[in-house]
Amino acid sequence: MTTTPAIPDSPTGTRLMDAAAQLFYSDGVGVGVEKLCKTAGASKKSLYEIFGSKDDLMAASLARSIPTYLAVLLPRAEPYSPPRQRILALFDNLEAIISAPTFRGCPYVSASMEIKNAEHPARAVARGFHNTLTEYFRDAADEAGVDDPGALAVALTVVHDGVTSRAVVQNHADPGLGRAIATSLLGGAGVS
Amino acid sequence: MTTTPAIPDSPTGTRLMDAAAQLFYSDGVGVGVEKLCKTAGASKKSLYEIFGSKDDLMAASLARSIPTYLAVLLPRAEPYSPPRQRILALFDNLEAIISAPTFRGCPYVSASMEIKNAEHPARAVARGFHNTLTEYFRDAADEAGVDDPGALAVALTVVHDGVTSRAVVQNHADPGLGRAIATSLLGGAGVS
C-alpha cells in the first residue's frame, strides 16, 4: 500500500536527511535546496546524485525518522499489559511530545498538510506512519474484543491527529486531553 | 483574547485578499508577493500600502474568510433543534467540506501548521476561528446539561481537527467518521 523510499547509507546522504528533517520541521517544506545543502555541508550535486530530487530527499528523510518517532510515541512492549492500558499509555507519550516547546505538529500530519500535491512521495510516507499508528490501535482493539476494532482504531487515530493539531493551533497542550477523549471512546466501545 | 486584523474595503485590497486566500490554500504559505500581486492584478506598492506586510495580508485574508466558512460549517440556526442534533449536523456539514476534491485541510488548522512562528498575526486569526468552533459546541453542551460542557466542547473540537487532518493524510474522507466519533463522545457525556 505504501511505497517505502530508498534510504541511502552514505555519510553525505545521512547529513542531508538530518538537515532536511530538521529544516522542513522547523521552517516548513518550502526550505530551498541551497539552505539544505549549506546546513548539511553537502553540494547540490551530491543531493541530486544521492536522492535524485528534493522531493525524494523529503520522502527519504521522513521515512528515516519514523522508527525514532515511533520509539517515543508507542509504549514500550509490555506483553502482559492489557489493551486499554496500551492505548492510554500512547496518549501519555503523545502528551510528552506535544508539550515540548519545539513541537510544531505531528511531523507526518504536518508534512501531509504542507505538501499540497497528494502524489508527492513524502505524502505516501506520511500515510504509512498513519497506518502504522492505526494498526497499533487496531491490534489492541482486537485483543480487547470490541465489536468493531477497525472503527475504534480509526477513531483513536483521529484523536491523535486532533490532539496534535489542537496543540499547534492553540500553541499549548491541554493536560490529559488525549487520554480523556480516548477513555471516553474506549468506554463507548465497552473497554474498561 | 484574539486580535482581529483590519480588513480593508478597497477593490484592490479585496482582490489581494481573494488571491491570498486562494493561493495560500492551494499552494501553501510560501507563495511569494510577486505571484500574489500578479494573481490579484495589483502592484507590490499597493499591497504594502494597504496591508503593511505580507504577514498582515495573510491575517486579513484569513480573517475575511471566516464568516463564509462558518456559514457552510455551522448548521443553519434552527432554534428548536436539540443540542445533540445541532452538534451532529455540524459533522455532516464538515463531511461535505472534506469530501470536496479541492479540500486541502481546514484552512485555519492548516495555516497554523504551515506558519511556524506562533506570533504571526494569522496564527491569532486561526485561533479565533478555533475558539468560535469550541464556543458553538460549548453552547450546545451547556444546553444539553452535561457535567463538563467545556471538556465536551474541546473534545468535539479535537474531533473536528482530527477528521479534517485525517482526510488530508489519507487523501480521502471516511463516510460518517466525524458523526460516529461525536456520537460516541455524546453518549459518554450522557447526551442522547
Side-chain angles (χ1 to χ4, degrees), chain B residues 32 49 59 74 86 89 100 115-116 134 136 139 145-146 150 152 168 172 182:
Chain B
E49 268 175 12
L74 303 188
R86 294 209 301 274
I115 300 169
K116 305 300 176 182
T134 304
Y136 176 87
D139 285 348
V146 305
L152 180 59
V168 177
H172 74 264

Side-chain angles (χ1 to χ4, degrees), chain B residues 5-174:
Chain B
I7 300 178
D9 199 20
S10 68
T12 310
T14 302
R15 286 205 311 278
L16 279 162
M17 288 186 290
D18 281 345
Q22 180 205 316
L23 289 171
F24 290 138
Y25 190 66
S26 62
D27 297 3
V29 299
V31 171
V33 162
E34 200 101 8
K35 190 170 178 184
L36 278 170
C37 288
K38 201 178 164 192
T39 306
S43 66
K44 283 193 201 176
K45 186 165 171 279
S46 52
L47 186 157
Y48 291 112
E49 268 175 12
I50 299 171
F51 296 96
S53 69
K54 180 188 159 188
D55 287 359
D56 290 306
L57 165 59
M58 290 169 78
S61 159
L62 210 60
R64 179 163 170 271
S65 71
I66 291 178
T68 314
Y69 195 81
L70 285 176
V72 181
L73 180 61
L74 303 188
R76 264 185 235 183
E78 294 175 38
Y80 302 112
S81 68
R84 183 176 188 277
Q85 201 172 308
R86 294 209 301 274
I87 289 169
L88 295 180
L90 185 144
F91 286 100
D92 295 339
N93 292 348
L94 184 64
E95 184 157 325
I97 293 173
I98 69 176
S99 301
T102 51
F103 182 71
R104 300 278 176 278
C106 164
Y108 313 99
V109 171
S110 176
S112 302
M113 225 170 279
E114 289 185 54
I115 300 169
K116 305 300 176 182
N117 171 16
E119 307 304 321
H120 190 293
R123 290 282 297 268
V125 172
R127 225 160 18 245
F129 164 81
H130 211 234
N131 292 337
T132 301
L133 182 61
T134 304
E135 280 156 27
Y136 176 87
F137 290 134
R138 166 84 201 222
D139 285 348
D142 267 335
E143 194 182 318
V146 305
D147 279 347
D148 191 343
L152 180 59
V154 168
L156 292 166
T157 309
V158 165
V159 178
H160 164 274
D161 294 352
V163 165
T164 56
S165 297
R166 179 180 175 80
V168 177
V169 176
Q170 295 290 339
N171 203 28
H172 74 264
D174 309 75

